[in-house]
Amino acid sequence: MKQFTSVAALREALAAERIQNRTIGLVPTMGALHEGHLSLITRAKKECDVVVVSVFVNPIQFNNQEDLAKYPRTLEADLSKLESVDTDYVLTPTVEEMYPEPVTDEYHFGQIEEVMEGPQRPGHFSGVAVVVRRLFDIVEPKRAYFGEKDFQQIAIIRNLLEQIKYPIELVPCPIVRAEDGLALSSRNMRLSPAARAVAPTIYATLRKAVEMSKTHSVEEVKEWAVKSLLAFEQPDGTIVNPETYHIFDPEYFEIVDDTTLQPVKNWEDSKGIVGCITVWLTGVRLIDMIRFK
Ligand code: PAF
């Protein structure tokens, strides 16, 4: 595995690969790597000759400076995980290396950014698009791999590729979950043991929501999921009063068409429907999703 902090040096190494007709796969990350990231790399290794992983905490996609400051940075551990899955190239640039000039580009995505994460995190998706495009320009991959946990991000990147007309194949990869169901995320390491112990409730709620969708309307399922997280039932069966102990704080739970990301009113309204949720748990913002059909 070769590590690069210089964009120019990585470009040069990749140009040599391209001359030999080797296909390049890109896995963009912000580090704090877990099995979810490694599954993207393993998939990329199967489908491409050369795999490039970027580890870069992209400041311009954070609209909350505290969130940026608290974002876990674990480069040494990340590098050994990347070695363990036989990564070919790692790019670990500084902010100055990634953005030698002040960033003035802005991207807009219409209705797909007007829902869920969009209104909650103004400028977030434009910041994601800027860094992803920069990585596309540096690496010029044939395929790029993204995890489905950030379902809306995948729709944004698909739309970005249509806007910039790059012939890159976007490969969405399934969520990897801990044995107890919690979606793996770099943010999980910020959960206290007590919060980690109850965190699987989020996915359990999503699963129950799918169960309920067989007999209840979209509105009823949405209402039930939010209420049930607010009135979280403890393992001993007691219901925590949300007024006195507000452990789960759902930011949104939307049931949407899987392509337009627009909320659906009836289960018959779309061929593909997913539920996307963001929940605060003791100051940590957790995201998850599930497919209804
Ligand atoms: O999903 C992420 O980790 C980030 O949004 C990405 C795609 C690496 C861009 O910084």
Side-chain angles (χ1 to χ4, degrees):
M1 180 174 91
K2 288 192 187 130
Q3 185 191 352
F4 292 84
T5 48
S6 152
V7 162
L10 175 64
R11 272 183 197 276
E12 209 176 298
L14 292 176
E17 299 286 1
R18 235 174 258 114
I19 285 173
Q20 297 173 63
N21 277 330
R22 307 190 81 196
T23 55
I24 298 171
L26 170 66
V27 182
T29 83
M30 296 207 298
L33 302 180
H34 49 68
E35 287 298 323
H37 297 109
L38 301 188
S39 76
L40 304 183
I41 300 166
T42 306
R43 168 106 182 248
K45 287 288 295 180
K46 283 199 190 113
E47 298 176 353
C48 309
D49 298 322
V50 175
V51 173
V52 181
V53 177
S54 58
V55 176
F56 178 64
V57 181
N58 176 33
I60 64 167
Q61 73 184 74
F62 286 81
N63 57 314
N64 175 336
Q65 289 311 301
E66 196 188 332
D67 201 21
L68 171 61
K70 283 189 180 161
Y71 203 85
R73 288 160 171 87
T74 57
L75 186 59
E76 284 314 306
D78 290 347
L79 292 174
S80 52
K81 286 178 191 165
L82 291 173
E83 280 276 19
S84 77
V85 288
D86 216 8
T87 304
D88 300 288
Y89 296 107
V90 192
L91 176 65
T92 56
T94 59
V95 174
E96 295 70 31
E97 182 70 10
M98 272 308 257
Y99 302 126
E101 308 290 332
V103 177
T104 50
D105 295 357
E106 251 184 52
Y107 290 91
H108 299 281
F109 299 98
Q111 60 176 15
I112 56 171
E113 70 176 342
E114 282 160 16
V115 290
M116 306 192 287
E117 295 294 292
Q120 304 294 340
R121 306 173 78 184
H124 167 68
F125 286 127
S126 183
V128 169
V130 168
V131 77
V132 169
R133 182 180 189 163
R134 174 110 180 94
L135 290 166
F136 286 166
D137 287 337
I138 296 167
V139 175
E140 295 178 49
K142 183 172 164 63
R143 301 190 181 88
Y145 297 79
F146 294 88
E148 276 187 332
K149 182 170 72 66
D150 297 302
F151 193 78
Q152 192 171 7
Q153 174 169 275
I154 291 184
I156 292 286
I157 290 164
R158 187 172 293 123
N159 187 295
L160 172 72
L161 282 170
E162 282 163 17
Q163 289 187 35
I164 63 180
K165 301 191 168 49
Y166 285 7
I168 297 172
E169 187 189 327
L170 171 66
V171 187
C173 301
I175 296 180
V176 178
R177 297 184 180 280
E179 259 176 42
D180 58 14
L182 178 65
L184 296 190
S185 160
S186 307
R187 290 166 196 261
N188 295 354
M189 61 176 77
R190 283 173 47 204
L191 295 170
S192 68
R196 174 64 189 80
V198 296
T201 304
I202 299 169
Y203 184 50
T205 305
L206 292 179
R207 287 214 323 264
K208 179 110 191 267
V210 170
E211 227 9 73
M212 283 184 68
S213 70
K214 293 171 189 150
T215 47
H216 292 73
S217 71
V218 172
E219 209 40 54
E220 283 165 346
V221 170
K222 272 173 68 171
E223 204 176 299
W224 169 82
V226 171
K227 272 199 186 145
S228 102
L229 281 167
L230 284 172
F232 167 58
E233 190 175 337
Q234 289 191 309
D236 68 1
T238 41
I239 303 285
V240 175
N241 180 347
E243 244 107 79
T244 54
Y245 192 58
H246 201 162
I247 186 164
F248 288 106
D249 187 3
E251 195 171 88
Y252 63 79
F253 174 46
E254 292 290 358
I255 297 178
V256 300
D257 176 276
D258 67 357
T259 310
T260 65
L261 300 193
Q262 299 312 291
V264 296
K265 289 202 166 66
N266 304 295
W267 300 114
E268 305 73 42
D269 284 355
S270 288
K271 277 205 198 95
I273 295 182
V274 294
C276 299
I277 195 162
T278 288
V279 181
W280 287 90
L281 174 55
T282 60
V284 183
R285 191 172 187 272
L286 300 175
I287 293 181
D288 205 345
M289 59 83 63
I290 201 161
R291 186 165 283 281
F292 283 90
K293 64 180 202 180

